[in-house]
Amino acid sequence: MANKLRLGVDVGGTNTDAVLLDISQGVIASAKHPTTPDITRGIQQAIKDVLDQVPNSTDIQSVSIGTTHFVNALVERDPARLDRVAVIRLCGPFSHGTPPCVGFPLDLRALLQGPYFLVSGGLQIDGSEISSVDPCEIESACKEIANSNVRAVVVSSVFAPIDSAIKQEEHVASIVRTALSHVDVVCSKDVAHLGLLERENAAILNASLLRYAKMTVAGFQRATRSLNLKCPIFITSNDGMLLSCAQASQLPVRTFSSGPTNSMRGAAFLAALGSDVAKQSALVVDIGGTTTDIGMLLPTGFPRQAAAHHELCGVLLNLPMPHVTSIGLGGGSLVRQSPCTGNILVGPDSVGHRITSEALVFNGSTLTATDIAIAAGRASIGDPSLVENISPSTIDGAQKTIKAMLQNTLDIMKTSAADIPIYLVGGGSILAPDELEGVSRVHRLPHYDVANAVGAAVAQISGVVDSFEDTSSMSVSEVRKIVEARAIERAISAGADPQRVTIIESEAIPIAYTSGRCRFYVKAAGEWDGISAQVHSDACDSEDESVIRPSPPGTGFPDVPCHPLPIPSELGISSYVPNVQDNQWFLSEIDLEWISDGCYVLGCGGGGSPLHTFLELREMVRNGSIIRVVDLAFLSPDAMVGYGGGMGSPEVSSERLLGKEYDEACAELWNFVGITKPEALCALEIGGGNGMINLIVAASKNYDIPVVDGDFMGRAYPTLHQITPNVFDESGKGLNFLPSVISSGDGNIMIMTRAKRDTDADAALRAACVEMGTDVGLASKPLKAKDLQMSMISNTVSLSWRIGRAIALARKQSNIGQVGRIIVDAVGGSRSAKVLFSGKIADVRRRLYKGHTIGEVIITALAYENDDSSEAIEKFTGSLVVPFKNENLYAEHTSADGQTTIQAVVPDLICILNAQNGSALGTQEYKYGLRVVVIGITAAPQWTGTARGMAIGGPAAFGFHEVPYVPLGVYTQPKSVIEEYGHRD
């Protein structure tokens, strides 16, 4: 018998699978056992079933387990398995408006949130300290934690993942462990990557599970020992790597998505055993009883990773996760005829694990997808005679539907238009046809029904580096090689065989507005060397079970507000009435959510996501702050109106969250011009995060002034001089926005009073912005209300609210296929807006130039039969090209016969939405395969009505002198929410 035997186990919702694997020859034995309520017992039984088939288990080198224990504890919100968590965030003056757990669902927040402390510390993007750690602050926090009955503490620091020299998190963790020897301490940098809130969220979830993780891992060890297995035990992680028992008990969050990863890794191994299949990119299609999971397998044999941020249990995280798309297609999917169209529908509802009693072939009464496969002769399961009476039209229609469902989803997951092979695994793979459009070959693999357990058995050891590096004295490629060597060293130190370690991911990511620094993400992986992890894997054996106690009762600290307005139903969305009193609109959580969604749409691909700003505002409202919006007419003619927002790099603002930099810039500017505060604030731009930032400064807890329903762009633009007040300044020297002040938020403030040209002001301020941390607050010259009557674009806060409400309604009605038309109706109808195109992103080209992301996205129409929106009122052909410079600039359509037509041009708004959920897409989120809807909205006359407006905001301003501006339609001023709802009883 070969000496490299691995035992792999994977726990699924229905079955627990186990395999014994010879790394060089393949599967020796396999078993499938129903998943038991006591998951550990199910694992033990599955392993025993395999061992009964093998005479000598002493040759087994390791046991690798993929488990759902930890994610299930979160999904079920089980207080017996979850603990409260205290958080010490090293952030200096930043991020105070978005405290730990701010984005958690309220029930989970109430369950997990312990005391939190926002203290000195944190780094800037260049690795320098925002401020040093203050040990006295940490010791004071420890005293409070000691009185709160909390068993776990998270230490999170701004830019912790790049802190390899100062090691602030490690320093604070040492202080905490000394003061509180009974608590578990988690450093955020050990859990996830860049993105402060998402990394901290992951660390909190991880810390909440530590007590249960230790108990569970110890149970795994006892279960294997009871079967006389002396080999090391590993737990598989989200990215197809092995965690020792000690690591898994410290990082349970890294197992959350191990199931899909194991399935893809198993498919890669099984495919490689076939002599005709070389290492290649392929799509893995795992068809189960209820759902189908589809993921992209890279030539390395590892799955493509999901986007940087993703959601789990309602919480945003940035853990390494496989990019998997799931659809409601499985062996138990119900088959029926649509009463509206007469088409045969398959899923998403399913009989699930009841298939053996409810499907027709098992003498049941429900027509399922499995019955169709048997009737079509694709397999022989149950009693085929029981499906002989299914009509040929039903069989044919169901098979066509299944084929279309698979083709559409496969196309979304592809990274290019080229045909690609697929590997079929899972018990429901009999549903898939042998030929699919866009697929070069359908591979039906041996042992397809236990591929997930195979993947667990072949998991590897990895080393990861995610850091910002200096590229001023060496080329990016030279620095990349150094970082790759560092990743290989980490993999070897973790237990990978030095002779078999390779780089499986390597990416260099430019940083906007910054030269001489680049972000590198590198992962190295290799087979376990069979030795190094032995010591670690036994670490949990010493765990004294008497120490693993139920979580202590919650102390009720801190109080989590539980009185927000409920999420409205479809009827509630239509009937929801905003709170307008005395010509003032008082914003609720619902208003803020809709405004946030609308602002991102109006960003036209730029402006940055409003998410963190929305979370801060929602927290303020929950804690009693009042936020008011008024029409311009509410103000006296001589009232002063301030404006501004954030300036800088999204890479910084996602890590060093908003502090008081905009407040400080405003205060400095207002003092300079001789006012205590203006009578109101107005958005610099309604598109993106800046569309909401003034609501924070204006709230009752801050300056307690209203925000005017309007802005100075009507969208997002990339530079400061592209604002409507500047359109009406014929001097060309920026007199309507200078003086301007920028503040770093940690002590640096600069004022610019005049410029030779308006464009010089933006260039100078951005250069200073880089020196001040690459993210600053910007406040510009307050203007009188009477001067805004001509220059301000009115009612754009109302417009964003209406767009957000339209998206919410489309989602609630399950009418996302119509989201484009619904938004068009919301912004004034077909005279002023239109759906320009819908289709699939076929290509994206982008690069960084002078701090701005420039490029183009190419969208191709879907074939009618492949279009999910079967009820769409308008079909498209040909393709659409949309160039962008931070924001989308124009849309050029190419017909099937090669004729080109410009459909929309800046300053008209070109907004690209995700057709699957109606959300806006930023240019950084464009990627091949996404189904999108492109909407055009006519720009305000402040841009289109004068030659200067077109010179500043039209196509020529972006270098497209050859592209003529043809209005998309007739501008319709958005209807004021205050006017509509202010006169109701």
Side-chain angles (χ1 to χ4, degrees), residues 200-219:
E200 185 179 79
N201 289 348
I204 291 169
L205 296 185
N206 189 79
S208 74
L209 286 161
L210 289 179
R211 175 181 57 86
Y212 177 58
K214 292 175 184 176
M215 181 169 58
T216 300
V217 171

Side-chain angles (χ1 to χ4, degrees), residues 717-745:
Y717 271 117
T719 57
L720 175 59
H721 68 276
Q722 290 176 304
I723 57 173
T724 50
N726 193 39
V727 171
F728 294 89
D729 171 23
E730 296 293 339
S731 73
K733 297 182 178 181
L735 300 183
N736 281 343
F737 64 85
L738 294 176
S740 286
V741 170
I742 58 174
S743 168
S744 65

Side-chain angles (χ1 to χ4, degrees), residues 373-386:
I374 304 305
R378 305 198 61 81
S380 180
I381 297 173
D383 185 351
S385 68
L386 296 175

Side-chain angles (χ1 to χ4, degrees), residues 262-402:
N262 286 341
S263 181
M264 285 187 270
R265 289 282 294 138
F269 178 83
L270 293 171
L273 292 176
S275 59
D276 61 334
V277 180
K279 285 190 174 182
Q280 58 186 336
S281 292
L283 287 166
V284 176
V285 180
D286 186 355
I287 306 178
T290 301
T291 60
T292 294
D293 295 332
I294 300 178
M296 172 65 76
L297 196 64
L298 302 175
T300 58
F302 288 88
R304 184 175 70 200
Q305 295 298 289
H309 299 161
H310 39 270
E311 189 175 289
L312 182 73
C313 300
V315 179
L316 278 176
L317 307 171
N318 61 352
L319 291 164
M321 295 272 197
H323 181 202
V324 175
T325 294
S326 298
I327 57 173
L329 171 65
S333 294
L334 272 58
V335 178
R336 61 209 177 281
Q337 188 172 40
S338 168
C340 299
T341 64
N343 295 334
I344 300 297
L345 305 177
V346 180
D349 40 349
S350 169
V351 298
H353 65 276
R354 302 186 309 276
I355 188 170
T356 54
S357 61
E358 295 190 17
L360 297 183
V361 291
F362 296 111
N363 206 28
S365 58
T366 304
L367 179 60
T368 68
T370 296
D371 296 319
I372 296 296
I374 304 305
R378 305 198 61 81
S380 180
I381 297 173
D383 185 351
S385 68
L386 296 175
V387 295
E388 290 177 350
N389 294 328
I390 301 175
S391 70
S393 62
T394 298
I395 296 171
D396 183 61
Q399 289 191 109
K400 285 182 177 178
T401 298
I402 290 170

Side-chain angles (χ1 to χ4, degrees), residues 420-473:
I420 190 169
I422 68 168
Y423 301 152
L424 284 175
V425 296
S429 60
I430 59 172
L431 305 183
D434 293 325
E435 294 184 358
L436 290 161
E437 185 179 325
V439 172
S440 58
R441 181 179 172 186
V442 175
H443 293 270
R444 299 183 184 273
L445 304 175
H447 305 288
Y448 65 88
D449 57 338
V450 290
N452 45 6
V454 172
V458 299
Q460 297 188 349
I461 300 286
S462 71
V464 177
V465 177
D466 184 0
S467 65
F468 289 94
E469 302 290 338
D470 187 348
T471 55
S472 59
S473 58

Side-chain angles (χ1 to χ4, degrees), residues 823-837:
I823 291 177
V824 166
D825 291 343
V827 301
S830 58
R831 291 185 71 244
S832 56
K834 62 178 65 174
V835 179
L836 300 176
F837 201 74

Side-chain angles (χ1 to χ4, degrees), residues 722 905-906 950-965:
Q722 290 176 304
V905 183
V906 66
M950 290 302 299
I952 293 174
F958 298 93
F960 298 108
H961 299 277
E962 75 286 358
V963 178
Y965 172 72

Side-chain angles (χ1 to χ4, degrees), residues 663-687:
D663 305 51
E664 292 174 0
C666 288
E668 188 77 16
L669 176 66
W670 299 342
N671 180 63
F672 181 80
V673 300
I675 62 174
T676 303
K677 65 179 181 181
E679 281 76 7
L681 289 173
C682 182
L684 170 74
E685 56 184 339
I686 195 63

